[in-house]
Amino acid sequence: MDRYGIDTDSAEGWIESISRKPEDKSNFAVSPGTSTGLLVTYDLRYDGSKDVQVIIVHVNPA
């Protein structure tokens, strides 16, 4: 996350909160980072009832 200039505190907070209730569903969009010259955003989709989780990465011109 540091590589893209993304704030790790918000992502770590979300991970910590979902770890307390792993059976829940949650969506979270990490604030965008621009340190590479691109606008990079991670959209996280978590569903504790599934074995596979989804991360959508958006990359746009900054």
Side-chain angles (χ1 to χ4, degrees):
M1 306 226 17
D2 291 334
R3 177 179 180 188
Y4 300 108
I6 295 171
D7 177 23
T8 57
D9 291 338
S10 64
E12 288 174 0
W14 178 76
I15 292 167
E16 184 178 313
S17 72
I18 200 66
S19 295
R20 284 187 233 126
K21 295 183 179 180
E23 69 282 356
D24 284 358
K25 291 182 182 181
S26 182
N27 296 325
F28 181 73
V30 178
S31 58
T34 58
S35 67
T36 63
L38 299 169
L39 185 67
V40 179
T41 305
Y42 288 87
D43 187 0
L44 312 170
R45 311 287 171 93
Y46 177 83
D47 183 343
S49 69
K50 302 202 173 166
D51 292 333
V52 177
Q53 306 306 320
V54 176
I55 300 173
I56 301 166
V57 181
H58 303 273
V59 180
N60 296 294

